[in-house]
Amino acid sequence: MHLSSICSFLSAFINCFFFKVFCLESEFSLKGDYLLGGLFALHEVQHAEPFSTPEAIECFRYTFSKSGYQMLQVMRFAVEEINNSTTLLPNVSLGYEIFDHCSDMKNFPSIFNFISKNGSIKPKEKLNNYQPKLIALTGPYGSTRTITIAPLITMDLIPLVNYGASSYTLSNKLQYPSFVRTIPSNKNLIEMIIHIIRWFGWNWVAFLGSQDDYSEDGLRIFNKYISNTGICLAYQEALGQQANYSQTLKKIDMLKINVIVVFAVPPYARKIIKAAIANDIRDKVWIASETWAMNQQLPTEPGIGKIGTVIGITERLLSLPGFDKFIYKDRRTINGYSTESNIQSKNKTCNQVCDYCPLLTAAEIINENPSFSFAIYAAIYTIAHALHKVLQCDMNECHKNMTAKPYMLLEQMKKLDFPLNGHQVKYDDNGDPTVSFSVVLWNTETNPPRFDMVGTYETYPEITFNINNSLLHWHNNGSVPFSNCSVECKEGFSREPNRYHSCCFLCKKCPRNSYVNYSCDPYTCSPCLESEWSDEGSTACKTRTVVYLEFTEIHSITVMFSATCLIILLIAIFCLFAYNFNTPVVKSAGGSMCFLMLTCLIMSTISVFFFFGNPTSVHCLLRNVVFAFFFTVFLSCMAVRSFQIVCIFKMAAKFPNMHSLWVKHNGQWLFVGFFSIIHLMSCVLWMTISTPIPSRDSLTFKDQIILSCEMGKTVTLSVVVFIGWFLGFLCLLFSYMGRDLPKNYNEAKSITFSLILYNVSWIVYFTAYLILKSKYVQLVNAMTQLSSIYGILFSYFIPKSYIIIFQPQKNTAAYFQTSIQNYTQTISRT
């Protein structure tokens, strides 16, 4: 059984492969100096039935394809044009052998015919010695068919210049070293489709293909290239002949997908579109790949206008001058060709038979889909130009004595760069051409339907993409159809993923001091920098204004002027007291301790100047720590001065021993030294544990950064403040105890007034610190320090200075003695 089947196959193969037929006038063959091969799908196999024996397919038994026949005519036209040229291959003629290639797997006899030499094939023959029947080959149409036969062609480095296989797999030169094509690859086509989708802002799309290398390659590239583009592939399916097309389209409709990419060969594309019409699928955008973008039959289907808008991608439609004239001439010749000869050819020649070809009119051929016409035309001219270079032709003749082998043409093809009908033909390292696509819109409202070019995509000499929106007439009265999983968020709202696809999201308003950058990450509300701010729902951050007390502000100038005047007054009093050191007024004011008190007040006043300007660590130390230390030392002097007066007048008599010890050991200086050391230690502790440092307040005002000084931890600061307030309390206590002392020694009113002013000033400051949040809190701090010092100056030192200058009669020992005697008499009476 098996042996008889094999014998039957060999018999059919030998009859088909080795039988010679004389067909001088046949459209399938032409004699010439160099032979070209052509593979065209003159028939389409819809459902190839499996044979019980391994035999070659007979294409004429299947559906005739006018498009395939038109492609064949383009090759014949190109060869005739080259043969008639006086500049390209001037004294060399090209011939051709063309076969009907209608099947993916059962057209091998024609391939064996091409690669044979004298009826035999020698696979291991050296390239230099082997000369196959043809010099180069163009075709076949379709990626699967090309991938099937390419290994047989490329193993001998026969140039396979293809016009209709766009699978990106064929760009692999390790697998297909002699493959060259004149149409862009699927990679370029997918890039074009993505450009269109992004141009109109769509992101919710479906991808339908067929179960072949062309569609599988396209789907793989599409999935790869849409990453990081914001496009979501909501539905994808590779449909077979027996697939449920209606169910697929209903799923797409249910998912609310309004943009459908149909990346399939014509038979499958026709099934998809017809199923859409039958199932009343309406108002979609259909993106057609170049295989069916200019299909002549589908636009005439009843109900095609209801399915929506069809946008096709095709190679730039370049005219072929003289082609129409060639076809009309050829039709006249064909009409004189006898029917008997056709029958004989059908009986004797394998896949070089076309019953319907002679029946076509010239108009039918010319009006057929021109998508691949220029690609075929360019393929023949590519072979001719390569052969021209191999034969070292000039304008007049070629060196016909030179031997041209297929691999030599392949080497020259890589270097080609020539103009052809206004288009530059050149190839990259992968054998792929420059990209020149057109975007066409199906206008089905006219009769006959029209293909309107609405956009272009070019990669040479530079990448350009453009669509003229004004030429697009959408199915929904002019507006661009919506095909997004979610409505785009309003400005300032970030996307919150809602489902598996990144295109499906909810919108969330960005909070204050954050923003959403749609170009980088539309899913995240990014925080602003510390130096920036933003309102709710922002798309960018604004720069904050940095504010601090500047030297040039009127408030700052006023306070610094007051501090300068205060320092001058204190220095003047210091000098006045030094000059009148031995006078009773100076001694009653504290004697030598007055100079320590005045020095502390001067240093405390100097610290005010460090409240202005851009705060630094030094500024913070000098404005806070210096004032706290020196003013506390001054308070200790005031406290001991008040105590000493009370001690002399009221305690000396009652506690003479204690008074003696106080005087003998300089108790006042011990008291001042003790509290100064205690306070110095607390200040060191303050600076060590929580040093006052510059701070940047960006919370109080949204658009400002307030530069100030951080006072440090509350505990250490509280210790420092407590010592100062405790000494102030002692001053009030001792001054109250001495309220009935002689007038010259009674300082209760002045000290009480100055300390009340001191406490009120600081209460005001701390209240302002808690309530007022601005740079002027620091101004209040500086004014509080100044008011404390001014209060002491005018209540304690100015009155004494007035007596020294304007009432010298009261600055005598006698006057003070009289006051003491009067006080003693008053006490004795009571």
Side-chain angles (χ1 to χ4, degrees), residues 241-444:
Q241 288 286 354
Q242 305 303 321
N244 191 332
Y245 289 76
S246 298
Q247 184 179 358
T248 296
L249 292 171
K250 287 177 181 178
K251 286 180 182 178
I252 292 173
D253 201 39
M254 185 179 63
L255 290 170
K256 298 180 180 180
I257 303 169
N258 291 325
V259 174
I260 305 170
V261 178
V262 181
F263 202 90
V265 292
Y268 293 90
R270 281 195 294 269
K271 283 179 174 288
I272 293 170
I273 298 301
K274 288 181 179 180
I277 296 171
N279 287 275
D280 198 27
I281 303 297
R282 293 173 175 263
D283 301 334
K284 305 294 183 185
V285 177
W286 305 82
I287 300 179
S289 63
E290 94 288 356
T291 57
W292 67 282
M294 296 192 68
N295 188 282
Q296 301 297 307
Q297 287 77 42
L298 280 177
T300 62
E301 286 286 331
I304 188 70
K306 296 179 181 179
I307 68 170
T309 303
V310 181
I311 299 174
I313 302 170
T314 183
E315 277 208 274
R316 288 291 293 271
L317 301 178
L318 300 173
S319 61
L320 302 180
F323 179 66
D324 294 0
K325 183 179 178 181
F326 170 80
I327 293 298
Y328 280 108
K329 175 186 173 184
D330 184 69
R331 288 298 92 185
R332 289 193 294 269
T333 304
I334 288 294
N335 290 335
Y337 192 66
S338 67
T339 306
E340 183 180 354
S341 298
N342 276 328
I343 295 173
Q344 289 176 353
S345 295
K346 180 169 71 174
N347 291 335
K348 298 182 180 179
T349 308
C350 187
N351 290 334
Q352 287 187 319
V353 177
C354 181
D355 293 336
Y356 291 95
C357 293
L359 304 179
L360 292 180
T361 65
E364 286 179 301
I365 298 172
I366 292 169
N367 293 328
E368 190 51 50
N369 180 3
S371 297
F372 298 94
S373 296
F374 186 79
I376 299 167
Y377 188 71
I380 304 304
Y381 267 87
T382 294
I383 297 170
H385 274 274
L387 183 59
H388 188 89
K389 289 184 177 296
V390 170
L391 297 178
Q392 299 178 6
C393 302
D394 54 27
M395 296 296 292
N396 300 314
E397 64 175 354
C398 300
H399 295 83
K400 298 184 71 172
N401 59 337
M402 295 186 64
T403 302
K405 293 187 179 293
Y407 73 89
M408 297 178 181
L409 271 69
L410 180 63
E411 185 179 354
Q412 292 300 326
M413 286 178 186
K414 298 176 182 178
K415 306 173 186 176
L416 289 179
D417 187 356
F418 63 92
L420 186 63
N421 289 5
H423 177 76
Q424 202 68 20
V425 178
K426 61 183 301 186
Y427 303 95
D428 61 18
D429 294 339
N430 295 324
D432 295 331
T434 56
V435 177
S436 182
F437 279 128
S438 293
V439 182
V440 294
L441 175 71
W442 284 21
N443 188 344
T444 58

Side-chain angles (χ1 to χ4, degrees), residues 44 313 647 656 659 755 772 784 796 815 828:
E44 292 180 357
I313 302 170
C647 181
H659 180 262
L755 289 177
L772 184 63
T784 299
Y796 188 81
Y815 181 81
S828 63

Side-chain angles (χ1 to χ4, degrees), residues 419-590:
L420 186 63
N421 289 5
H423 177 76
Q424 202 68 20
V425 178
K426 61 183 301 186
Y427 303 95
D428 61 18
D429 294 339
N430 295 324
D432 295 331
T434 56
V435 177
S436 182
F437 279 128
S438 293
V439 182
V440 294
L441 175 71
W442 284 21
N443 188 344
T444 58
E445 295 179 358
T446 61
N447 190 18
R450 195 173 67 242
F451 300 96
D452 297 331
M453 190 175 80
V454 296
T456 58
Y457 177 57
E458 304 274 357
T459 61
Y460 182 85
E462 61 182 1
I463 297 176
T464 57
F465 173 72
N466 182 61
I467 291 180
N468 190 339
N469 293 331
S470 64
L471 298 177
L472 282 163
H473 305 291
W474 300 102
H475 54 267
N476 53 354
N477 299 323
S479 60
V480 177
F482 180 81
S483 187
N484 299 68
C485 182
S486 301
V487 178
E488 193 58 50
C489 293
K490 295 179 181 178
E491 191 174 84
F493 285 73
S494 66
R495 299 174 183 175
E496 190 173 89
N498 188 29
R499 281 189 274 170
Y500 171 76
H501 291 284
S502 61
C503 301
C504 304
F505 50 81
L506 301 175
C507 295
K508 181 181 179 183
K509 195 173 187 178
C510 286
R512 177 183 169 186
N513 290 332
S514 67
Y515 70 101
V516 58
N517 188 334
Y518 294 115
S519 60
C520 294
D521 184 7
Y523 296 90
T524 305
C525 290
S526 304
C528 296
L529 299 175
E530 185 190 8
S531 60
E532 298 175 334
W533 71 281
S534 70
D535 289 319
E536 285 186 342
S538 296
T539 57
C541 293
K542 303 173 186 176
T543 303
R544 293 178 187 264
T545 304
V546 179
V547 296
Y548 53 87
L549 287 176
E550 299 186 44
F551 289 105
T552 55
E553 293 185 46
I554 186 66
H555 310 87
S556 303
I557 293 172
T558 302
V559 172
M560 288 189 290
F561 178 76
S562 300
T564 303
C565 293
L566 182 57
I567 291 172
I568 293 172
L569 279 173
L570 290 170
I571 292 174
I573 293 171
F574 188 97
C575 294
L576 180 65
F577 275 35
Y579 184 76
N580 297 278
F581 179 71
N582 293 318
T583 61
V585 171
V586 175
K587 289 182 178 179
S588 68

Side-chain angles (χ1 to χ4, degrees), residues 148 216 460 475 488 509 619 663 681 752 819:
T148 302
E216 291 174 3
Y460 182 85
H475 54 267
E488 193 58 50
K509 195 173 187 178
H619 281 73
V663 173
M681 292 171 62
T752 301
S819 297

